[in-house]
Amino acid sequence: MNARVLRVLEYDKMKAQLKMHAASSLGLKKIEELTPHTDFHKTKEELDRTQEGVKVLRLKGQAPLGGIRNISSHIKRAQIGGLLNASELLETADTIYAGRRIKAFIGAMTEDDIDLPLLKGIVDRIVPLTGLEQAIKRCIDDHGEVVDAASPSLRSIRQQIRANEADVRSKLEQMIRSSNQQKKLSDAIVTVRNGRYVVPVKQEYRASFGGIVHDQSASGATLFIEPQSVVNINNRLREAKVKEDQEIERILRELSGQVSEHVDELLENSGCLAELDFLFAKSYYARELEAVPPRLNDGGRFTFKKARHPLIEKDVVVPIDVELGDTFSSLVITGPNTGGKTVTLKTVGLLTLMVQSGLFIPVEEDSEATVFANVFADIGDEQSIEQNLSTFSSHMTNIVDILKGVDHKSLVLFDEIGAGTDPTEGAALAVSILDDVYEKGAKLVATTHYSELKGYAYNREGVMNASVEFDVNTLRPTYRLLIGVPGRSNAFAISRRLGLQESIIQRAEAEINAESRQVEQMITSLDEKRREAEAEEESAKKIRQDAESLQAELRKKLQELENQKNTIFQEAEKKAAAELEKAQAEAKEIIRGLRELQKQGQSVKEHHIIDAKKRLEDASPNLSKRHKEIKKQAKERQSFKPGDEVRVTKFGQNGQVLKKISEKEYLVQLGIMKVNVKVDDMERVKAERVTQPTRPITSVSAKPSVKPELDLRGVRFEEAMRQLEKYLDDAVLAGYPQVHIIHGKGTGALRKGVKEFLKKHPSVKESRDGGMNEGGLGNTVARLQ
């Protein structure tokens, strides 16, 4: 695509919005390199990739992409035998971990029968390299420091260092506590100069104190002296630290060598993570814009329904319906200035470029898009003072270049074609240019002020008029695009509305020739009929809404009656059961009396007693059975609508109604499954749509040893934010209710950055400054949720 066209259509501004959703510099680089595709199959594949990313976000809320680093330079330096420092090795391990985590995340979704073939194809190329990751993490901690456990030699050396440090500090502290020496000291402290432990001695006691001078204060009043008694210990300490540095270098070189053994896998992993970051950036952007995938065709036609320009605020932009390439291939838009003609052109152009870049677009469902080999645009004032060109000359120079490259696979956008010169000549030239583009088979959208072009669309097959609506009553444009209706001249109507004398308006109307007047009358008639049709459509919509509202109200009342009936029946059943129980008790009493008579020798037959008892039992109505039948009928009569939340009693789970299959059966979403459920097995929970979870459902393994505090003192700001992000994830997985972030006071920049980060993190419920016994302003306490 021509760079000037991308600039005119504000493609770079759209990419700036897209960059806000990248998780790493790898994704940012992919977005920087993004240009529209001109191949239909490549465009279709990119849209399908974005579709899978959107599906992941819909089901899981977000994708785990934290920890991705650009390690290309680290890998290449290791490949040629270079030594990677601890931070570079840690970034390599973090990137390996990020790849392993997203691979497991996508793998778990596919195991749950979620169809993600393109995403799975990317993550299948990621090599876990768990051994290399563990080797680095075993030797280097989250702060980028080589740990004691990196090697037995390093542990032994550091034990020697600690022992020597303790020894020298002990001797010096004894010295500064001595009453004989305290008067010779400027301050009773032990400090370090040039890597050696020293004490501050007053200048006048230099000769009597002895030892080696390593430094002095700015005033010269204090000398920092290493007493002779600790020189040997300091020497041993210095030798141990040299050995420590040598051992650390050996460990880093060994790890760098392991990295060099996996150069190809690491480069492939980085490439896959860049693709994934880019893919999910497009998916997050689609969610932000509330964009949808259009149906793609290779027939050169598009239909954008309720299309919105992505760079205009959603609550400000007026959606438009625009189509091209089906019944007509050229669209001529007329209307007043500031009426939205240029925005319409830019919307068509930018949405086309977005589709060809694999991005969803802010339109309604069932919109359609196509793939053009070239998009040409002449929009805005391209006047060049340096070239001494007028507005007309500048536009014409651009149009000449466009006409050289136009073919049947092109989309051409002209803004105010033919403007800037004599109206008669300009209109004639515009007609000729439009004819040339039309004859080459290109798709064309053009805006104009010339009334001659209104008739042009009527006289050419395949050309359609359109206009931006203008409300004469308010004297303001509505920004609606009306296809099939040319723009009418509002000059006389506006003048009359503003109070210009009728006689002047009539004389002006008399100056208009009969043909122009006839065209205006025709346009006015069309406009009136359109308004009548819209009014009737609005009335029909209102009637339908009233009918639906009445139907819903009747359904609600019917349900209330059913509930009342069930309540009444239950009360009646309780009352009848009580009466029945009383009657049975009396019957039992009668039978007992009969038996007593029998025992006394009276003539009472056993079968008489049995018959009497059976007649009493048969007389009791089966109320429970009747009640169950009524409840079953009530359930069969109740109805659900798509979006209702129900409990499926058969499975004991809640789900969401997707659609009605029959009077007795519905299709219900249970987790990731869609199940046909009978109405008998459904109970309404609440009549509202199930919302997606806001937090991601990820499966990651927490590091076993997570401390309840994170010390960021002395860490660069960017590195501190990276460590803080990873630490919060580990702390949440470890189950800590709260953690301490130690950042110190310093300039306050790190403290401010930590507080801002904690406010935005989804796992942090609240944060506060540390108390008096918690480090005060140098510590921030975060409560996790």
Side-chain angles (χ1 to χ4, degrees):
M1 293 290 175
N2 184 282
R4 180 187 167 279
V5 171
L6 298 180
R7 185 183 71 255
V8 167
L9 294 176
E10 301 176 299
Y11 185 74
D12 289 338
K13 291 182 180 179
M14 180 277 298
K15 287 207 301 184
Q17 288 186 340
L18 179 59
K19 288 178 184 177
M20 301 298 291
H21 300 284
S24 70
S25 58
L26 295 176
L28 287 174
K29 185 179 179 183
K30 294 281 287 184
I31 296 173
E32 284 284 357
E33 298 169 350
L34 177 65
T35 56
H37 306 290
T38 56
D39 179 73
F40 175 83
H41 298 290
K42 180 63 176 176
T43 302
K44 180 72 168 61
E45 181 184 355
E46 289 300 314
L47 284 172
D48 289 343
R49 283 190 174 194
T50 308
Q51 176 74 68
E52 290 189 9
V54 169
K55 181 190 290 187
V56 170
L57 298 187
R58 187 179 71 251
L59 295 174
K60 300 296 184 181
Q62 66 184 61
L65 292 171
I68 300 175
R69 301 289 181 268
N70 187 352
I71 59 173
S72 301
S73 60
H74 310 344
I75 299 170
K76 291 176 182 177
R77 196 161 70 256
Q79 186 178 19
I80 61 175
L83 176 67
L84 302 183
N85 61 38
S87 296
E88 291 169 338
L89 287 167
L90 186 61
E91 287 182 355
T92 303
D94 286 343
T95 303
I96 295 172
Y97 170 72
R100 186 163 55 82
R101 181 171 59 173
I102 190 66
K103 181 183 180 77
F105 177 77
I106 299 299
M109 294 186 70
T110 56
E111 287 176 4
D112 290 337
D113 295 330
I114 299 173
D115 191 27
L116 302 170
L118 297 175
L119 271 173
K120 189 175 186 301
I122 297 174
V123 299
D124 282 348
R125 288 157 39 204
I126 296 176
V127 182
L129 298 178
T130 308
L132 177 58
E133 178 195 349
Q134 291 177 348
I136 295 173
K137 290 292 184 71
R138 186 172 57 250
C139 297
I140 302 172
D141 63 17
D142 292 340
H143 304 289
E145 299 292 335
V146 179
V147 298
D148 295 358
S151 75
S153 297
L154 184 61
R155 179 185 289 107
S156 175
I157 292 168
R158 285 184 172 171
Q159 286 174 351
Q160 293 175 20
I161 290 173
R162 286 190 286 270
N164 287 325
E165 285 178 339
D167 195 7
V168 71
R169 290 186 71 88
S170 175
K171 288 184 179 297
L172 291 177
E173 285 173 358
Q174 287 177 5
M175 184 178 295
I176 64 178
R177 285 197 299 268
S178 170
S179 57
N180 295 331
Q181 300 292 348
Q182 283 184 354
K183 64 179 180 179
K184 300 177 182 180
L185 302 176
S186 298
D187 198 358
I189 61 170
V190 176
T191 185
V192 177
R193 289 293 185 275
N194 300 325
R196 303 179 76 87
Y197 284 91
V198 297
V199 291
V201 180
K202 296 176 182 178
Q203 171 69 34
E204 58 267 27
Y205 292 105
R206 165 69 185 91
S208 62
F209 195 86
I212 303 170
V213 177
H214 288 281
D215 198 3
Q216 67 177 8
S217 65
S219 64
T222 301
L223 300 177
F224 294 94
I225 297 177
E226 177 185 5
Q228 192 63 41
S229 61
V230 297
V231 169
N232 290 334
I233 303 175
N234 265 335
N235 288 341
R236 290 198 301 271
L237 180 60
R238 193 65 177 269
E239 290 172 3
K241 288 190 174 181
V242 170
K243 290 180 181 179
E244 179 190 30
D245 292 339
Q246 292 173 345
E247 179 63 14
I248 288 175
E249 182 178 345
R250 186 196 67 77
I251 292 168
L252 295 180
R253 192 167 296 282
E254 181 179 321
L255 292 174
S256 300
Q258 293 184 39
V259 171
S260 67
E261 295 173 1
H262 299 283
V263 167
D264 294 336
E265 296 96 324
L266 288 169
L267 289 174
E268 178 68 12
N269 286 3
S270 293
C272 293
L273 290 172
E275 289 182 40
L276 291 168
D277 190 7
F278 174 56
L279 184 153
F280 281 107
K282 294 191 295 182
S283 304
Y284 281 115
Y285 188 43
R287 185 166 70 178
E288 178 191 344
L289 291 180
E290 297 181 11
V292 300
R295 293 199 317 275
L296 201 63
N297 69 77
D298 57 356
R301 64 184 182 277
F302 63 79
T303 302
F304 297 148
K305 299 180 179 180
K306 303 298 180 187
R308 295 176 279 115
H309 196 289
L311 301 181
I312 303 177
E313 293 293 335
K314 186 181 177 183
D315 55 351
V316 175
V317 67
V318 177
I320 59 171
D321 295 325
V322 59
E323 59 179 296
L324 196 66
D326 191 3
T327 57
F328 54 89
S329 60
S330 296
L331 189 65
V332 179
I333 306 173
T334 52
N337 285 330
T338 70
K341 300 193 303 297
T342 302
V343 173
T344 297
L345 280 186
K346 288 188 174 182
T347 300
V348 169
L350 184 54
L351 294 192
T352 298
L353 296 180
M354 288 176 66
V355 170
Q356 293 184 211
S357 302
L359 296 167
F360 287 8
I361 54 177
V363 295
E364 276 195 349
E365 299 282 355
D366 202 34
S367 292
E368 194 170 6
T370 189
V371 178
F372 293 103
N374 276 299
V375 176
F376 298 101
D378 180 61
I379 299 175
D381 186 3
E382 297 294 329
Q383 179 170 279
S384 172
I385 297 175
E386 292 80 3
Q387 296 178 0
N388 195 25
L389 296 175
S390 67
T391 302
F392 176 75
S393 299
S394 178
H395 280 296
M396 193 50 58
T397 300
N398 191 30
I399 289 173
V400 169
D401 292 337
I402 289 174
L403 294 180
K404 290 178 182 178
V406 168
D407 59 18
H408 68 286
K409 293 183 178 180
S410 301
L411 171 64
V412 183
L413 307 171
F414 286 141
D415 189 26
E416 300 297 348
I417 184 170
T421 187
D422 177 75
T424 303
E425 293 181 355
L429 195 57
V431 169
S432 180
I433 293 171
L434 295 182
D435 276 340
D436 184 72
V437 173
Y438 177 78
E439 289 168 2
K440 290 179 179 177
K443 304 302 181 289
L444 167 72
V445 183
T447 68
T448 181
H449 274 106
Y450 295 136
S451 60
E452 289 84 351
L453 292 183
K454 300 174 187 176
Y456 167 82
Y458 280 108
N459 297 328
R460 300 292 197 282
E461 185 179 354
V463 182
M464 179 63 70
N465 266 318
S467 61
V468 287
E469 188 179 49
F470 188 87
D471 191 337
V472 179
N473 295 322
T474 62
L475 302 183
R476 290 180 180 178
T478 65
Y479 303 103
R480 293 177 59 203
L481 181 67
L482 308 174
I483 293 182
V485 180
R488 56 180 296 193
S489 174
N490 295 297
F492 296 150
I494 293 173
S495 300
R496 187 174 283 111
R497 178 81 176 169
L498 294 175
L500 187 63
Q501 294 180 20
E502 186 64 28
S503 58
I504 297 176
I505 295 175
Q506 289 176 358
R507 282 200 300 272
E509 288 177 339
E511 295 293 327
I512 302 295
N513 60 45
E515 184 178 349
S516 297
R517 190 179 299 111
Q518 185 178 3
V519 170
E520 282 300 316
Q521 290 174 352
M522 177 189 66
I523 293 174
T524 302
S525 176
L526 284 173
D527 193 43
E528 290 175 354
K529 289 181 179 178
R530 177 187 60 80
R531 291 178 184 275
E532 290 176 2
E534 288 180 349
E536 290 178 359
E537 182 183 8
E538 191 64 30
S539 177
K541 284 182 179 178
K542 189 175 184 307
I543 292 172
R544 187 182 66 184
Q545 289 173 355
D546 291 343
E548 289 176 351
S549 176
L550 180 60
Q551 184 183 26
E553 186 178 351
L554 289 173
R555 187 181 293 116
K556 181 180 178 182
K557 288 187 177 297
L558 180 61
Q559 186 63 43
E560 289 176 354
L561 288 173
E562 288 290 338
N563 294 338
Q564 289 176 5
K565 184 172 71 174
N566 289 339
T567 302
I568 293 171
F569 188 85
Q570 288 173 2
E571 290 177 353
E573 180 178 334
K574 288 179 181 178
K575 189 179 294 184
E579 292 293 331
L580 181 60
E581 185 178 354
K582 181 180 178 182
Q584 287 177 338
E586 292 178 357
K588 287 178 181 178
E589 183 65 24
I590 293 171
I591 292 172
R592 189 185 62 78
L594 290 173
R595 290 189 183 278
E596 287 293 329
L597 291 174
Q598 188 179 37
K599 288 178 181 179
Q600 295 173 9
Q602 300 293 332
S603 178
V604 179
K605 302 295 185 182
E606 182 67 27
H607 70 273
H608 291 159
I609 298 174
I610 294 172
D611 287 345
K613 184 177 181 181
K614 186 176 185 306
R615 283 197 302 271
L616 286 171
E617 289 176 348
D618 292 342
S620 62
N622 191 350
L623 297 176
S624 297
K625 182 178 179 181
R626 174 59 181 159
H627 180 54
K628 288 179 181 178
E629 183 66 25
I630 290 176
K631 287 179 70 176
K632 181 180 178 182
Q633 292 174 1
K635 272 196 171 184
E636 290 177 350
R637 285 194 294 270
Q638 69 176 336
S639 66
F640 303 88
K641 60 180 181 297
D644 284 351
E645 186 178 347
V646 296
R647 180 168 183 81
V648 180
T649 56
K650 185 176 181 181
F651 301 116
Q653 294 184 5
N654 286 11
Q656 184 181 16
V657 176
L658 297 180
K659 67 177 182 179
K660 183 176 182 180
I661 298 175
S662 67
E663 292 298 326
K664 297 184 179 181
E665 195 171 26
Y666 287 80
L667 181 63
V668 178
Q669 181 83 42
L670 289 177
I672 62 170
M673 298 188 299
K674 296 177 181 177
V675 184
N676 292 351
V677 182
K678 292 183 179 180
V679 71
D680 301 14
D681 299 324
M682 295 167 58
E683 293 178 357
R684 191 184 309 276
V685 177
K686 55 180 178 179
E688 60 182 28
R689 292 188 178 277
V690 178
T691 57
Q692 294 292 344
T694 57
R695 291 190 60 181
I697 304 172
T698 57
S699 178
V700 296
S701 56
K703 193 172 179 180
S705 56
V706 181
K707 297 180 179 179
E709 71 277 337
L710 173 66
D711 191 350
L712 298 177
R713 290 175 294 184
V715 182
R716 290 183 292 109
F717 184 87
E718 294 79 6
E719 179 63 15
M721 295 302 102
R722 183 195 71 77
Q723 291 183 20
L724 179 56
E725 179 185 12
K726 184 174 185 305
Y727 174 76
L728 289 174
D729 291 341
D730 292 342
V732 170
L733 292 175
Y736 286 133
Q738 73 175 26
V739 293
H740 295 261
I741 313 301
I742 304 170
H743 42 67
K745 299 178 183 178
T747 62
L750 183 56
R751 175 176 176 266
K752 181 179 179 183
V754 168
K755 295 226 176 253
E756 290 296 324
F757 187 92
L758 293 175
K759 285 181 182 177
K760 299 176 181 177
H761 199 283
S763 298
V764 177
K765 187 174 183 181
E766 63 179 11
S767 63
R768 61 174 175 83
D769 291 326
M772 294 297 293
N773 60 344
E774 294 177 326
L777 297 180
N779 174 35
T780 295
V781 182
R783 287 186 59 198
L784 305 180
Q785 56 185 7

